[in-house]
Amino acid sequence: MTTTGAPGATDPAGRPGIPDGRVELPPGTALTDPRFVNDDLLPVPVAQRHWTTYNFAALWVGMAHNIPSWLLASGLIALGMDWKQAVLTIALANVIVLVPMLLTGHAGPKYGIPFPVLARASFGLRGANLPALVRAAVACAWFGIQTWIGGQGVFVLLDKAFGGDWAAAGRIGGQPWTLWLCFVLFWALELAIIHRGMEALRRFENWAAPFVIIGALVLLVWIAVKAGGFGPLLDQPSKLGWGAGFWPVFFPSLMGMIAFWATLSLNIPDFTRFGAGQRAQVRGQTLGLPTTMTLFALLSVLVTSGAQAVYGVAVWDPVALSAKTDNVFGLLFALVTVLVATVSVNIAANVVSPAYDLANLAPKLVNFRRGALLTGVVGVLVMPWKLTSTPELYIFTWLGLVGGLLGTVAGILIADYWLVRRTVLDLEGLYRADGPYWYRAGWNPAAVLAFVAGGILAVGGSHSEPGKGPFPADGLLPFLRPLADYGWAVGLVTSLLIHTALMKGRVARGDRPATG
């Protein structure tokens, strides 16, 4: 027996469980294998799963309201879309990515397990390190980049407050030493918050979410008052139209927008494991993600429109726009808003996941807090100031490559949990080498094959314009180049179909995968 609960209640396998279907380990269960167990990886007891709909919605509001999110609509308009096409693309992308988010998030409230432990069911106890490390590497890079962007925002606003003296400071490595100081202080602030654990994060997100919304609305009101209305941007026609010129831009843009949150579609169980039930995570995420991202994109367009009317140029960067005010209080308010917004998204989206992923790699040596510290160190070592210096190399290449690989992992997780196991897991078996998820020396060949096949199809056609990226102009594998613009969808569908077929084949041969 692996679960406990109210008398007469059963889980989907017919075992004693919690009336609402949640599962937990019985009191006194001893899981002691240091290769796969530590306190941070164990299931959260039902009594400690108390995140509500508001907590999840606030989490998404806090993550969505950040500088890169603000700039998404500007990137699409730069490609020739009008504001309606840009907002539509972003809205559709977030509705699409919400589906795998809810599907993978289901295991969190039900079993109280984080993403790397859920991955053990499909990849094997050792094989789970493969998707975990892919996700951790992506998150570490994003952490460094968001921290650099946040540090730059603080630097720009403080430079304005001090009359330009900060930008005139002596240079180290080609940058003012004051910029490096902002970066380091910003980095330390993030790690100080996450060091206090997930409950501290929940409390931070609860007040950060409404504060960031207020900050964005204040910026809107300020620019609207100065503009006397919103300038000509809303009236500008699309350069692409709605015909043959639109679709070749729309589909790769859609995949890029999906890739923006594809990381969270994998590790969302890291948060939903604290959920009070499925209703809380479903309602919270549905209310929080697509609505927030769509409204934030619209808000960025409106503010930029006002900036064009006031300054004669579209100022897409909210930090650069805020720096145009000479009001000291306004500068301080903008500074705090940038701090809160960037810290909110970076901690939630890019520290929690790799902390668990690195703990899964070596549970005996790495706990959640040590994993978070390692994430912070790696985030600096990737030198984000260089990654962000070439947008063609980073933004387009990065999102396409990352989206394809993460879509592949998502397809395997969804196929295994929903189509093969029908959401029924052996909870104890996820932590035991003698359990049903050991497969072959801790690896599931079916998942590995699905990952390799899906990954090749998703990113094999990756290509770059001459001199603007690391890939050949014809693609790594030229015959796959037409698939490159649809990497996330190709990876997800391919791996889902292959993993399901291989695992169902095992069932047909009588080698039934564990279901409890």
Side-chain angles (χ1 to χ4, degrees):
M1 181 182 297
T2 62
T3 58
T4 61
T10 60
D11 73 0
R15 301 170 303 191
I18 310 303
D20 61 4
R22 288 181 292 170
V23 179
E24 66 179 357
L25 295 170
T29 300
L31 298 173
T32 58
D33 191 332
R35 296 174 297 172
F36 309 113
V37 178
N38 68 21
D39 291 341
D40 295 310
L41 295 176
L42 285 172
V44 175
V46 168
Q48 297 177 26
R49 302 177 201 171
H50 50 67
W51 282 36
T52 64
T53 296
Y54 176 79
N55 295 139
F56 288 112
L59 177 74
W60 274 113
V61 171
M63 287 196 293
H65 289 137
N66 60 84
I67 298 171
S69 292
W70 184 281
L71 296 174
L72 285 180
S74 66
L76 296 180
I77 291 178
L79 293 174
M81 293 186 184
D82 62 18
W83 73 271
K84 296 184 291 294
Q85 291 171 331
V87 172
L88 173 64
T89 303
I90 292 171
L92 181 58
N94 284 281
V95 169
I96 292 173
V97 81
L98 176 66
V99 175
M101 202 88 67
L102 296 177
L103 291 176
T104 54
H106 184 278
K110 183 170 183 178
Y111 295 101
I113 54 177
F115 155 66
V117 174
L118 172 62
R120 293 175 182 179
S122 52
F123 282 86
L125 268 72
R126 286 176 172 166
N129 287 319
L130 173 61
L133 286 178
V134 169
R135 173 64 182 94
V138 172
C140 288
W142 269 119
F143 173 81
I145 288 162
Q146 287 273 15
T147 302
W148 180 250
I149 290 173
Q152 284 181 314
V154 173
F155 170 78
V156 168
L157 295 174
L158 288 179
D159 180 60
K160 175 72 175 182
F162 286 98
D165 292 340
W166 278 50
R171 293 183 173 264
I172 300 176
Q175 303 287 356
W177 69 264
T178 46
L179 175 55
W180 293 113
L181 176 63
C182 291
F183 173 63
V184 171
L185 291 177
F186 200 85
W187 176 86
L189 172 65
E190 293 173 318
L191 293 187
I193 294 174
I194 199 64
H195 187 266
R196 300 180 64 86
M198 287 296 291
E199 273 302 293
L201 172 63
R202 181 180 69 88
R203 291 192 295 269
F204 178 79
E205 294 291 351
N206 282 349
W207 71 263
F211 182 86
V212 173
I213 292 176
I214 293 171
L217 292 176
V218 167
L219 187 60
L220 174 64
V221 172
W222 170 69
I223 197 65
V225 170
K226 289 183 72 68
F230 296 105
L233 190 63
L234 297 183
D235 296 325
Q236 289 186 356
S238 170
K239 298 177 182 178
L240 306 173
W242 289 95
F246 174 69
W247 303 110
V249 175
F250 170 74
F251 285 110
S253 298
L254 182 68
M255 292 300 107
M257 297 304 102
I258 290 173
F260 192 80
W261 289 122
T263 49
L264 268 295
S265 68
L266 296 185
N267 73 283
I268 196 65
D270 295 343
F271 301 96
T272 61
R273 67 191 298 227
F274 299 97
Q278 295 299 340
R279 181 177 299 178
Q281 73 104 1
V282 170
R283 288 183 174 179
Q285 293 203 80
T286 303
L287 291 172
L289 172 58
T291 56
T292 298
M293 285 296 291
T294 302
L295 291 174
F296 204 53
L298 179 60
L299 185 63
S300 71
V301 170
L302 292 175
V303 171
T304 305
S305 172
Q308 181 165 338
V310 174
Y311 301 108
V313 62
V315 184
W316 289 105
D317 187 343
V319 174
L321 182 59
S322 299
K324 289 183 175 295
T325 180
D326 293 321
N327 184 284
V328 175
F329 175 78
L331 281 171
L332 290 176
F333 183 80
L335 177 63
V336 174
T337 302
V338 168
L339 278 170
V340 172
T342 309
V343 169
S344 178
V345 65
N346 216 15
I347 291 177
N350 301 319
V351 175
V352 172
S353 171
Y356 283 125
D357 295 338
L358 294 170
N360 186 71
L361 183 65
K364 188 176 181 179
L365 300 175
V366 181
N367 57 18
F368 179 82
R369 287 181 170 84
R370 290 175 182 172
L373 180 59
L374 284 173
T375 299
V377 172
V378 174
V380 174
L381 294 178
V382 300
M383 295 186 288
W385 48 91
K386 289 191 175 182
L387 286 176
T388 54
S389 66
T390 55
E392 292 86 4
L393 171 64
Y394 177 69
I395 299 298
F396 299 110
T397 301
W398 172 261
L399 286 180
L401 189 66
V402 165
L405 292 177
L406 296 181
T408 300
V409 175
I412 295 170
L413 295 182
I414 293 169
D416 194 83
Y417 183 69
W418 285 95
L419 302 180
V420 177
R421 306 184 193 282
R422 306 293 183 180
T423 77
V424 182
L425 300 175
D426 182 332
L427 192 53
E428 279 189 49
L430 293 169
Y431 300 88
R432 297 197 338 259
D434 60 347
Y437 308 115
W438 187 244
Y439 300 106
R440 296 183 184 178
W443 291 78
N444 182 5
V448 174
L449 179 59
F451 177 79
V452 172
I456 290 175
L457 290 178
V459 305
S462 298
H463 55 90
S464 305
E465 294 295 325
K468 293 186 177 181
F471 303 122
D474 293 334
L476 291 171
L477 299 172
F479 70 96
L480 293 178
R481 192 180 188 279
L483 299 180
D485 290 339
Y486 313 94
W488 181 84
V490 170
L492 186 144
V493 172
T494 301
S495 62
L496 183 147
L497 293 176
I498 292 176
H499 185 81
T500 301
L502 293 176
M503 294 300 289
K504 290 291 187 180
R506 292 185 55 188
V507 174
R509 295 192 304 269
D511 184 15
R512 187 174 184 82
T515 56

